[in-house]
């Protein structure tokens, strides 16, 4: 299986900050990476596909980048609604795997 | 738009079989083009993909669960189902059903999730 490692585990920030989190794959997954946002008690919400393609309706303050084994999710001008846990997921191989998540909490 | 809803027992005894159903509304499983998937999340933990089924019945399972998992589809009812055999306490989790494009593998939409507790 391809292992996905996210860092940091927790990220403390304030409204208005720009935050960046990283997702690393244990092998080359080209650009077959998705990002999700999850709030407590809710199902994950799909944000980004192919490492950098924003899903329709997702605010433009979210952006993704990277290819191969290293990827980032950046949120510029953090809003109160953005405090959540973010997961990456690879879909390069048919045994799809998720990272363990990065929690963005209020500083 | 397409919506998914999980249903099934919230409590399963150890060694028994966990059975869940996902009902799809707003679209037809038979139309093809999607992998219908199950994903679980242990309490306070990350996400684990369990497996998927195509409308034709072809399946692919997470190798770590493959020996205990069966996913089936009932196109007449627009539902797909999960069976996980020989459950133990570590199988306690929120179970989600979700849809993935067959040309990619990201999940959208998701069901709301259902908590299944394994306990005697």
């Amino acid at each position: 299986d391809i292992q996905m490692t996210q860092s940091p585990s927790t990220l403390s920030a304030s409204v208005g900050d720009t935050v960046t989190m990283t997702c690393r794959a244990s092998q080359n997954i080209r650009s077959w990476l998705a990002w999700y946002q999850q709030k407590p008690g809710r199902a994950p919400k799909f944000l980004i596909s192919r490492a950098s393609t924003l899903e329709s309706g997702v605010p433009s303050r979210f952006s993704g980048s990277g290819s191969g084994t290293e990827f980032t999710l950046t949120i510029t001008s953090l809003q109160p609604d953005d405090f959540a846990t973010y997961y990456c997921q690879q879909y390069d191989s048919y045994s799809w795997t998720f990272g363990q998540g990065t929690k963005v909490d209020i500083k | 738009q397409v919506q998914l809803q999980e249903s099934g027992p919230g409590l399963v005894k150890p060694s028994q079989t966990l059975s869940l159903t996902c009902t799809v509304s707003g679209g037809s499983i038979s139309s093809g083009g999607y992998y219908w998937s199950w994903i679980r999340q242990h309490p306070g933990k990350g996400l684990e993909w369990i497996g998927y089924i195509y409308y034709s019945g072809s399946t692919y399972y997470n190798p770590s669960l493959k020996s205990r998992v069966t996913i089936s589809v009932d196109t007449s009812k627009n539902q797909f189902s999960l069976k996980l055999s020989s459950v133990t306490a570590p199988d306690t989790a929120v179970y989600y059903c979700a849809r993935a494009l067959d040309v990619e593998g990201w999940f959208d939409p998701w069901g709301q999730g259902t908590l299944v507790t394994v306990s005697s």
Side-chain angles (χ1 to χ4, degrees):
Chain A
D1 283 5
I2 298 174
Q3 307 302 317
M4 306 300 293
T5 303
Q6 290 185 244
S7 61
S9 299
T10 304
L11 198 161
S12 297
S14 302
V15 173
D17 285 353
T18 293
V19 299
T20 298
M21 61 197 77
T22 298
C23 176
R24 289 188 173 88
S26 61
Q27 63 190 69
N28 184 0
I29 58 169
R30 296 172 285 177
S31 294
W32 301 121
L33 184 98
W35 289 97
Y36 302 86
Q37 176 194 69
Q38 187 179 34
K39 296 181 179 179
R42 304 290 297 274
K45 174 187 175 184
F46 169 59
L47 299 176
I48 289 172
S49 64
R50 298 193 186 192
S52 61
T53 301
L54 214 60
E55 166 73 344
S56 175
V58 174
S60 59
R61 63 181 180 272
F62 290 88
S63 63
S65 65
S67 66
T69 61
E70 185 152 336
F71 303 85
T72 60
L73 174 69
T74 298
I75 312 171
T76 57
S77 187
L78 200 65
Q79 297 300 299
D81 191 49
D82 301 336
F83 292 98
T85 300
Y86 294 85
Y87 292 95
C88 62
Q89 177 231 335
Q90 67 80 18
Y91 51 97
D92 180 80
S93 76
Y94 275 106
S95 192
W96 300 327
T97 47
F98 293 86
Q100 81 279 17
T102 291
K103 182 179 181 180
V104 178
D105 67 13
I106 301 174
K107 185 185 291 184
Chain B
Q1 74 274 19
V2 173
Q3 294 184 311
L4 290 76
Q5 178 69 58
E6 306 89 351
S7 59
L11 181 64
V12 182
K13 289 182 167 50
S15 80
Q16 293 190 343
T17 296
L18 178 160
S19 296
L20 296 174
T21 296
C22 182
T23 300
V24 179
S25 59
S28 173
I29 289 178
S30 298
S31 62
Y34 298 99
Y35 294 130
W36 301 93
S37 300
W38 288 96
I39 297 154
R40 70 181 182 178
Q41 186 169 35
H42 296 104
K45 302 295 185 184
L47 299 157
E48 179 181 32
W49 170 73
I50 298 171
Y52 69 68
I53 191 164
Y54 200 54
Y55 78 99
S56 61
S58 61
T59 55
Y60 196 93
Y61 301 137
N62 185 326
S64 69
L65 296 168
K66 185 177 181 179
S67 64
R68 298 194 292 131
V69 172
T70 302
I71 298 176
S72 58
V73 64
D74 186 338
T75 54
S76 67
K77 294 181 179 179
N78 220 29
Q79 296 175 333
F80 63 104
S81 298
L82 169 70
K83 290 189 185 299
L84 181 66
S85 64
S86 305
V87 297
T88 61
D91 292 310
T92 294
V94 174
Y95 287 76
Y96 294 100
C97 57
R99 183 186 75 171
L101 269 177
D102 63 358
V103 292
E104 297 210 15
W106 41 264
F107 300 103
D108 184 62
W110 296 59
Q112 66 184 26
T114 188
L115 174 63
V116 179
T117 301
V118 178
S119 175
S120 55

